[in-house]
Amino acid sequence: MSRFTSPDFLRQAGTRQEHANPPPAVDLARPSLARLHSFHLKGKDHFEVDRDLALAAEQVAPGFQDLVLGERAFLQRAAVHLATEVGIDQFVQFGAGLPAPGDPHEILPRARVVYATDDLMVLAHHRALVREDRTVAVAGRPTGPADLFADPALRGLIDLDRPVGVLMAGALSHVADVDTPAAHMAALRALLPAGSHVVVSHYHRPDPAVFPKDANRAEQLQNVFRRHLNSGYWRTREEILGLLDGWEILSPGLLEVQRWRTLPVAPPVPGSYQMPQRNRRLLYGAAARV
């Protein structure tokens, strides 16, 4: 498998690297996290500036695509777990990316899903392409949970008297400390009914005294993301745990996403992608309950 080749079950978003025609509101001078992920998932909705960011990340951390694919597979495993093992049938995804095969509403055919994003291009794509009665796309961000859960479109689909699954794959990695992510997670917890769960994945900064090479890659990646996106924070395990203060973290705890309820490689189902060893320490994840 080449460094920019994803597994078949994730590659269906597109097989050619094409130049997309941007809507008028798109700023081609700045990359987009959603379009970066589209590039790594073999989609077509990305531009030269996004590919420049992909190349810069690849140069400082060979195999950066591992993080994108590993995070998506973790999200898929966690969503299926909440649906099949916990019985949750309604979900809200913060930081939704561009629509792609394997999104939550596709792998959870009986669930209702709200996709929340502050990226206008992502919002437009979801509203144009996701047309099922059990999905809706709304404007929202992790730093504004009260506004999101007050949105009439969300309330028209999600019953806030029953447990909700909140999916935050990578969303908190792009919230700066100055924006108090832990406080917003506490506010989110207060909004959710009993029995609700949250799934969090986050860029991880390993201990430099134990894993100096991994810690250096995390530092270099953070520099690249801050330079290109003005966001992207690699936090320590203790700092990530702090974001979940007050939540009941479920087994197997906060750890490398690859080790969270790992699936066999075959058959290739959503969530079965396995990250190579080289970058596993740079991405942590957990599921927690109200």
Side-chain angles (χ1 to χ4, degrees):
M1 183 186 301
S2 68
R3 63 181 59 172
F4 287 127
T5 299
S6 59
D8 288 343
F9 73 90
L10 287 176
R11 195 169 53 205
Q12 299 172 33
T15 58
R16 295 177 296 170
Q17 301 301 326
E18 300 177 355
H19 290 278
N21 294 319
V26 174
D27 180 3
L28 295 185
R30 299 188 61 182
S32 154
L33 184 66
R35 297 196 308 264
L36 173 70
H37 286 188
S38 175
F39 170 75
H40 285 302
L41 294 176
K42 301 302 179 184
K44 64 180 182 179
D45 296 302
H46 50 80
F47 310 121
E48 184 175 358
V49 67
D50 307 302
R51 295 187 287 274
D52 288 343
L53 172 54
L55 178 59
E58 178 70 16
Q59 288 174 335
V60 300
F64 174 78
Q65 185 189 37
D66 303 346
L67 301 182
V68 177
L69 299 181
E71 188 165 62
R72 184 166 176 80
F74 164 73
L75 172 68
Q76 292 171 329
R77 292 196 303 276
V80 170
H81 170 73
L82 294 187
T84 60
E85 302 298 326
V86 181
I88 292 178
D89 62 359
Q90 50 182 2
F91 293 82
V92 176
Q93 182 179 358
F94 280 93
L98 288 159
D103 280 347
H105 76 279
E106 289 197 356
I107 64 174
L108 306 176
R110 297 182 180 180
R112 290 174 286 177
V113 182
V114 172
Y115 292 105
T117 177
D118 60 359
D119 185 321
L120 296 180
M121 180 178 178
V122 172
L123 190 63
H125 274 70
H126 271 284
R127 287 176 171 172
L129 299 177
V130 180
R131 302 185 178 184
E132 301 181 33
D133 291 340
R134 59 187 182 84
T135 68
V136 68
V138 300
R141 60 182 63 191
T143 54
D147 292 337
L148 175 61
F149 277 80
D151 189 299
L154 181 147
R155 287 182 169 267
L157 192 67
I158 301 298
D159 180 359
L160 294 180
D161 290 325
R162 298 193 300 110
V164 179
V166 179
L167 309 175
M168 305 186 77
L172 295 176
S173 298
H174 296 275
V175 179
D177 290 342
V178 69
D179 292 322
T180 61
H184 294 298
M185 288 297 290
L188 171 65
R189 189 178 69 250
L191 290 167
L192 294 172
S196 294
H197 289 61
V198 66
V199 172
V200 171
S201 59
H202 200 294
Y203 297 149
H204 175 243
R205 182 189 299 272
D207 184 344
V210 182
F211 303 109
K213 292 182 179 179
D214 296 293
N216 181 64
R217 283 202 300 276
E219 179 70 23
Q220 295 300 316
L221 280 171
Q222 177 167 285
N223 292 340
V224 165
F225 270 66
R226 296 297 307 281
R227 184 167 65 250
H228 287 258
L229 283 175
N230 198 33
S231 73
Y233 303 90
W234 270 256
R235 293 185 167 105
T236 66
R237 185 175 186 276
E238 291 70 26
E239 289 171 331
I240 300 171
L241 279 173
L243 302 179
L244 293 170
D245 187 35
W247 297 80
E248 179 187 353
I249 298 178
L250 306 181
S251 177
L254 175 66
L255 73 173
E256 298 168 13
V257 297
Q258 179 54 51
R259 296 168 53 202
W260 198 93
R261 297 182 180 272
T262 306
L263 294 175
V265 175
V269 298
S272 64
Y273 170 77
Q274 294 195 12
M275 296 177 66
Q277 186 65 44
R278 58 190 172 186
N279 285 319
R280 288 185 181 181
R281 297 190 184 99
L282 301 186
L283 188 64
Y284 268 42
R289 163 171 65 207
V290 173

